[in-house]
């Protein structure tokens, strides 16, 4: 179906205008200038022709078939125009006009009205309030868009909700000399969605990589499922804006506030294998490498340079991007010795020195292509004035064509000089991605390598642990809901955790100081005494936690003290718990995310969690691989392995606990927020000693 939109054979412009700087004129000019191979049908009630093309008073008069109709008329006329499109058999409309859901209620009603007409006639709607599409395919050259960049044909397709950013990316690709395949900017996206476009491009053999710009998704789950399929088939490079710093707002739950404003999109990228970028320049430069180069099979890079310092900078950036700069094999070194100048440094980086010519560069590239210990090649090429730089470029191009390893070049020169522009053209025509600085080039190769890692990673399937008592947990939640409680009691929380085999400190609820003393007796000292009140979020802040109580008498008097001090919080109840000293305090939490189920959080816990904020998130369900990644991605990960004589923690048990929480969340969608803080982690065990659940 999207063929009609992206490969239209006939395009009508409803609202075609003879006024030069109007959208209804610019779109026709773009189609003409770009060399559209199909038929253009301006629709205008009075003008006999627009931009020299015969115009029609109405769609009905158009003799030929129309695949796409641009609609550029006042919003209130759009429903009727779509009705006419339906009658004419138009397959898709691009509504450039604004004045719909982005303008409030009245606009939203108009949008609903035209959508109903479109659905009835089977007309697909792109937009409204959007730019349109471009297909650079030389056999079609469809520029159904009012922007101004005329892209060269290429293999990178761009989709952006925001027309402004879409145009920015398109222009940046153009400036970098990167060809584009298709372009789509769908504004309000009331019908045709980004997931649908992504699926279409996944099937487009002419598209090697997709660039995506988004500000979030109306249906995150739909996007997640599509992204999983598409990213498995071709590279999707994406950027999400609106990464606002998490506000310092004091939310009741750690997980809720630590998750910040919208991290979900970023997490979807991570889960589905989309390569995410922090800024558009980086993303576009990376696209230049993806457009021509293969994905490296591993992280090891061989560096060739004809100047020292820039290779040092490049090495730093490459290593920071997760690449390794390994030693070369003896065989490679002796081959280099035979081919390089006497002053050359025959290691990695290979310094071919400034006087190196095409032969030396060629030999070095060939050695690295054959070197088994290297997966990618980074070239620093400064146009030394005493060398034949064209020849160097030619040899780099020719040699790299013979291999299956990506080659990325830092090309340092003066492009105001004709001579070096020619050198540059040789690299460009040869498909070698080149950049003006070692950092930019190294980042681009870093992105290729990062994508390679994503490709090789298999997160596996979520595990289901036998013996979980979902029914018991569910009945706890239901009875809390029936009694109108949204924050569960400690007893409820521990019961739910125990139902899923999550180890919790031995506990007993107690209504009075005497009962607390008896509970301590039963559990066995030392114990911890805590107040148990839904009204209190942070018990220790108000003196509601007494640790390391050595005998029942101490428990009784601690409980009496709490009653005296905290009595105002209703009739105070207690929880007595086994004391588990000396563990590493971790936090495992969850929060419900609109349209996406739960996010699971892991990090350093205890009472300083808000200060350290050393936490990471994943979208549930969390697989074993993902849980391991969580442990690996907190800043303080080395603490988990043990430092300075302190013991490490049982990581397998932590990983299992995260997975069990994930299973619990899948069964209990009612849970809005949940925190186990802390989970005490020891060398050979883990145990939750505090839990909070809000439904
Ligand atoms: P809150 O988070 O409401 O202040 P917690 O139950 O988490 O209360 O207790 C606060 C701190 O007391 C914990 O971070 C931990 O350091 C310590 N603590 C609580 N319970 C235990 C326990 N059973 N064993 C060891 N330390 C505990
Ligand atoms: Mg706590």
């Amino acid at each position: 179906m999207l063929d009609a939109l992206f490969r239209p054979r006939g395009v009508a412009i409803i609202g075609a205008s003879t006024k030069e700087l109007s959208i209804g004129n610019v779109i026709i000019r773009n189609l003409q200038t770009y060399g559209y191979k199909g038929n253009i049908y301006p629709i205008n009630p009075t003008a006999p022709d627009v931009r020299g093309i015969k115009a029609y008073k109405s769609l009905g008069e158009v003799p030929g078939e129309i695949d796409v109709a641009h609609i550029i008329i006042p919003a209130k006329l759009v429903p009727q125009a779509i009705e006419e499109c339906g009658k004419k058999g138009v397959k898709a409309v691009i509504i450039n006009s604004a004045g719909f859901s982005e303008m409030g209620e009245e606009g939203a009603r108009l949008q609903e009205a035209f959508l109903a007409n479109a659905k009835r006639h089977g007309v697909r709607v792109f937009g409204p309030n959007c730019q349109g599409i471009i297909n650079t395919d030389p056999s079609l050259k469809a520029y159904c868009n009012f922007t101004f960049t005329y892209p060269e044909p290429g293999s990178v397709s761009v989709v952006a909700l925001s027309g402004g950013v879409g145009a920015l990316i398109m222009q940046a690709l153009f400036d970098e000399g990167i060809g584009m395949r298709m372009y789509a900017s769908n504004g309000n996206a009331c019908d045709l969605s980004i997931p649908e476009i992504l699926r279409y491009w996944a099937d487009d053999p002419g598209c090697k990589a997709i660039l995506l710009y988004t500000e979030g998704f109306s249906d995150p789950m739909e996007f997640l499922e599509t992204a999983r399929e598409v990213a498995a088939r071709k590279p999707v490079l994406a950027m999400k804006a609106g990464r606002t710093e998490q506000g310092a707002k004091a939310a009741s739950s750690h997980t809720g506030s630590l998750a910040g404003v919208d991290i979900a999109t970023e997490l979807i990228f991570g889960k589905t294998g989309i390569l995410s970028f922090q800024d558009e320049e980086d993303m576009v430069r990376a696209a230049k490498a993806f457009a021509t180069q293969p994905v490296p099979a591993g992280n090891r890079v061989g560096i060739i340079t004809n100047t020292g310092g820039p290779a040092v900078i490049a090495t730093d950036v490459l290593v920071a991007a997760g690449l390794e700069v390994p030693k070369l094999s003896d065989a490679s070194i002796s081959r280099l010795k035979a081919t390089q100048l006497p002053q050359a440094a025959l290691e990695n980086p290979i310094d071919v020195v400034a006087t190196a010519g095409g032969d030396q560069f060629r030999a070095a590239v060939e050695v690295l292509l054959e070197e088994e210990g290297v997966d990618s090649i980074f070239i620093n090429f400064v146009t030394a004035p005493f060398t034949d730089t064209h020849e160097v470029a030619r040899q780099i191009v020719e040699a790299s064509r013979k291999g299956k390893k990506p080659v990325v070049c830092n090309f340092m020169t003066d492009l105001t000089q004709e001579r070096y522009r020619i050198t540059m053209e040789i690299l460009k025509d040869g498909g070698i991605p080149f950049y003006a600085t070692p950092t930019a080039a190294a980042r681009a190769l870093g992105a290729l390598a990062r994508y390679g890692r994503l490709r090789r990673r298999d997160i596996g399937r979520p595990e289901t642990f036998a013996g979980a008592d979902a029914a018991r947990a569910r009945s706890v939640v239901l009875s809390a809901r029936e009694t109108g409680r949204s924050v569960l009691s400690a007893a409820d929380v521990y019961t739910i955790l125990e139902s899923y085999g999550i180890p919790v400190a031995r506990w007993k609820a107690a209504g009075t100081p005497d009962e607390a003393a008896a509970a301590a007796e039963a559990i066995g000292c030392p114990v911890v005494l805590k107040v148990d009140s839904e009204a209190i979020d942070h018990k220790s802040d108000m003196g509601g936690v007494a640790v390391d109580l050595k005998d029942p008498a101490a428990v009784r008097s601690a409980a009496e003290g709490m009653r005296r001090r905290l009595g105002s919080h209703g009739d105070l109840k207690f929880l007595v718990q086994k004391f588990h000293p000396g563990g590493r305090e971790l936090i495992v939490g969850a929060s419900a995310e609109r349209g996406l189920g739960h996010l699971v959080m892991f990090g350093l816990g205890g009472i300083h969690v808000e200060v350290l904020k050393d936490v990471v998130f994943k979208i549930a369900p969390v697989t074993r691989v993902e849980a391991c990644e969580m442990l690996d991605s907190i800043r303080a990960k080395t603490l988990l392995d043990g430092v300075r004589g302190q013991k490490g923690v049982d990581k397998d048990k932590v990983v299992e606990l995260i997975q069990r929480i994930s299973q619990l969340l899948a069964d209990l969608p009612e849970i809005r927020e949940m925190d186990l803080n802390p989970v005490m982690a020891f060398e050979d065990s883990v145990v939750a000693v505090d839990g909070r659940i809000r439904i």
Side-chain angles (χ1 to χ4, degrees), residues 528 530 539-540 577-580 585 677-678 680 689-690:
V528 181
K530 303 180 183 182
K539 301 177 285 295
S540 46
Q577 196 180 51
K578 185 75 190 166
F579 182 48
H580 290 281
E585 298 198 17
N677 181 31
M680 292 292 193
V689 304
D690 185 25

Side-chain angles (χ1 to χ4, degrees), residues 254 494 505-506 527-528 530 536-542 544-548 577-583 585 605-608 677-678 680 682 687-691:
H254 299 298
Y494 292 121
R506 207 168 155 221
V527 294
V528 181
K530 303 180 183 182
I536 301 177
D537 278 346
H538 303 304
K539 301 177 285 295
S540 46
D541 288 358
M542 37 219 318
V545 176
V547 299
D548 198 12
Q577 196 180 51
K578 185 75 190 166
F579 182 48
H580 290 281
E585 298 198 17
I607 52 177
H608 299 313
N677 181 31
M680 292 292 193
F682 300 88
V687 58
V689 304
D690 185 25

